[in-house]
Amino acid sequence: MNMDRIPLLIDKYFEGNTTIEEEKEIREFFNTTPGLPDNLLPYKDFFMAIDVAARMEPSSKFEMRIRQRIEMERKRNSITRRIYITAGIAAALMLVIGFQQIIKQQPINTIDDPVIAMQIVTDAFSQVNKTIEKGMNSMYYIAEADKANEAIKRIKVLNESVEKTAKIHFISHSYKAFQNTHTRNNTNK
Amino acid sequence: MDQKQFYSTVLPLKGRLYRLALGYLKDPEDAEDAVQEIFVKLWAIRKALDKYRSIEALTVTMTKNYCLDQLKAKRRSEVSLDKVIAHAGGTSPEKSTVEKNLMHVILQILPQLPEQQKMVFCLRDMDGLELREIETLTGINYNNVRVLLSRARKTLREKIIKIQTYEYGQDSASN
């Protein structure tokens, strides 16, 4: 090791200009060289301390501890996921069962004999038909009633006009009669 | 992303994130807890991970934010040397006292660094990343990364030299 080279490297080191190789060289020098010259002695502790710091490692069981911890997290997560999946499946099953129940309930009164079935269907339709007919009949009555109303209105109008004519006729008639009697009285005097 | 992919992409980042978390929380136990929490969070969003341009950048940001939240949540007490040594995984058991002390020292002073300096320093000097990689991971522009790194190194040097003079005297320097 060149003793002249080390002080130069040290200066370079404190300016942040050394390469990683050069830094290793400096540390190696201080770790292995006995009987340092006075100018380099103050740096011995510094470089040894850094060398010690660089070799600090987590304890040997540390990696195991991390693996165990992560394994634990993984299991915990998979348990939660399993619970979610189970809950999901259960919900889906409930839905399916519910639908099945609804579907099952719909055809309660089924009839196997086609003749009876036909009979029932015909009955049902005629029932419906009757009801509609009834409705239609009442509609007819309403229409008829409307017609009657109309006729009554017309009769009323006619009646009124007849009455009016009668009144006029009566007035003119009585006036004539009055005139006649008057003239007769005059002639009698 | 399935479990296998998750392990192969995310688990290798554990060292980097741990060291980064240490830079904030300084307690090795807290740092491990932080990284574990981040991995659990990542696992929860594993299906969305493919959408991220860089999972590594995501993990760095998540670690930083998580640690800041932790620091906000409770004021940390000083970490004892024993605890640091007890949780110093990965290093050789026959570590010298000096080394243990140094580890303790660096854990005490790293959290004192300003936010961005700490990130850049952790990613470079503790994780050996290229400046360009740090630029991608943090979103800090290349030149700024260099400047921040230089400042962080100088600050740490000052602090370590100070501790040397006050706590260990000349003994540790002459070892």
Side-chain angles (χ1 to χ4, degrees):
Chain A
M1 180 74 62
N2 187 352
M3 282 288 187
D4 297 333
R5 185 175 150 79
I6 291 299
L8 292 175
L9 281 185
I10 290 173
D11 286 346
K12 225 175 135 187
Y13 171 83
F14 282 107
E15 292 313 311
N17 288 328
T18 37
T19 63
I20 286 170
E21 282 310 307
E22 287 169 335
E23 286 165 21
K24 270 185 194 159
E25 203 181 317
I26 301 172
R27 281 189 214 170
E28 189 66 20
F29 172 82
F30 281 104
N31 264 334
T32 54
T33 314
L36 289 170
D38 285 349
N39 62 332
L40 294 181
L41 260 182
Y43 295 113
K44 187 182 162 77
D45 277 0
F46 177 84
F47 283 106
M48 280 179 76
I50 288 172
D51 193 52
V52 169
R55 280 188 279 119
M56 287 191 289
E57 288 284 342
S59 57
S60 49
K61 284 176 188 160
F62 183 61
E63 186 165 331
M64 243 243 298
R65 230 175 78 194
I66 287 179
R67 281 176 187 268
Q68 279 171 352
R69 178 76 194 274
I70 283 169
E71 196 57 33
M72 212 172 75
E73 292 287 319
R74 201 179 61 85
K75 272 184 191 155
R76 212 183 61 186
N77 285 352
S78 73
I79 285 167
T80 10
R81 198 183 304 154
R82 216 172 290 162
I83 289 169
Y84 277 126
I85 290 170
T86 323
I89 291 171
L93 271 177
M94 296 277 272
L95 268 178
V96 169
I97 291 167
F99 273 120
Q100 270 182 344
Q101 288 298 321
I102 291 166
I103 291 162
K104 258 187 207 165
Q105 270 171 8
Q106 271 175 343
I108 296 175
N109 304 316
T110 46
I111 291 141
D112 294 329
D113 192 338
V115 180
I116 299 169
M118 190 61 199
Q119 188 60 47
I120 287 168
V121 171
T122 321
D123 283 357
F125 274 118
S126 64
Q127 191 73 34
V128 172
N129 207 18
K130 267 181 197 165
T131 322
I132 291 172
E133 227 166 52
K134 241 186 219 169
M136 290 302 278
N137 283 343
S138 16
M139 289 298 283
Y140 173 76
Y141 286 131
I142 290 166
E144 285 299 295
D146 269 355
K147 270 184 197 169
N149 258 344
E150 198 66 20
I152 289 164
K153 261 186 199 166
R154 273 187 205 158
I155 290 165
K156 265 185 185 168
V157 173
L158 191 69
N159 216 16
E160 274 168 17
S161 27
V162 168
E163 270 174 16
K164 272 181 194 166
T165 344
K167 265 182 197 168
I168 295 165
H169 191 73
F170 173 76
I171 292 165
S172 63
H173 197 75
S174 21
Y175 180 70
K176 268 180 190 168
F178 170 77
Q179 263 188 341
N180 283 344
T181 39
H182 193 70
T183 41
R184 207 180 298 152
N185 285 347
N186 282 346
T187 45
N188 285 347
K189 279 173 187 177
Chain B
M1 188 178 277
D2 61 22
Q3 198 169 355
K4 217 175 177 183
Q5 275 178 304
F6 182 81
Y7 283 156
S8 62
T9 41
V10 175
L11 275 188
L13 302 172
K14 68 179 193 301
R16 171 188 303 166
L17 301 183
Y18 172 74
R19 283 185 288 275
L20 188 63
L22 264 182
Y24 286 89
L25 306 172
K26 67 185 170 184
D27 184 325
E29 259 180 67
D30 288 348
E32 280 192 4
D33 288 346
V35 178
Q36 183 177 313
E37 283 314 307
I38 283 148
F39 281 173
V40 171
K41 279 184 187 179
L42 286 167
W43 171 256
I45 57 160
R46 65 190 177 284
K47 278 173 190 153
L49 281 182
D50 298 325
K51 288 179 201 150
Y52 286 90
R53 215 185 309 144
S54 160
I55 294 174
E56 291 182 37
L58 175 72
T59 56
V60 167
T61 316
M62 280 173 82
T63 308
K64 182 193 82 181
N65 291 339
Y66 185 84
C67 291
L68 290 176
D69 283 349
Q70 287 297 104
L71 290 176
K72 241 184 262 169
K74 54 173 177 178
R75 213 84 210 104
R76 311 247 133 205
S77 54
E78 289 296 295
V79 183
S80 74
L81 181 56
D82 290 344
K83 204 175 184 183
V84 173
I85 294 160
H87 286 89
T91 40
S92 56
E94 66 272 11
K95 250 181 320 195
S96 69
T97 337
V98 178
E99 242 183 85
K100 286 169 192 165
N101 278 330
L102 287 174
M103 200 155 104
H104 189 234
V105 165
I106 200 112
L107 287 183
Q108 294 308 311
I109 57 177
L110 255 182
Q112 296 171 20
L113 284 180
E115 165 66 35
Q116 288 192 321
Q117 287 187 28
K118 180 163 45 201
M119 276 240 285
V120 170
F121 179 82
C122 284
L123 292 174
R124 171 64 175 208
D125 278 2
M126 291 162 76
D127 215 52
L129 291 184
E130 295 288 352
L131 298 192
R132 284 280 173 217
E133 288 176 285
I134 298 171
E135 183 184 29
T136 326
L137 290 192
T138 58
I140 303 168
N141 144 294
Y142 180 85
N143 279 324
N144 281 343
V145 170
R146 212 173 51 77
V147 171
L148 287 166
L149 184 63
S150 163
R151 280 191 199 147
R153 285 167 172 176
K154 283 175 181 166
T155 317
L156 288 177
R157 179 183 62 185
E158 306 290 298
K159 287 187 190 283
I160 286 181
I161 286 174
K162 233 184 220 169
I163 291 169
Q164 273 178 349
T165 10
Y166 291 116
E167 281 185 21
Y168 307 111
Q170 285 304 302
D171 286 337
S172 83
S174 59
N175 268 340

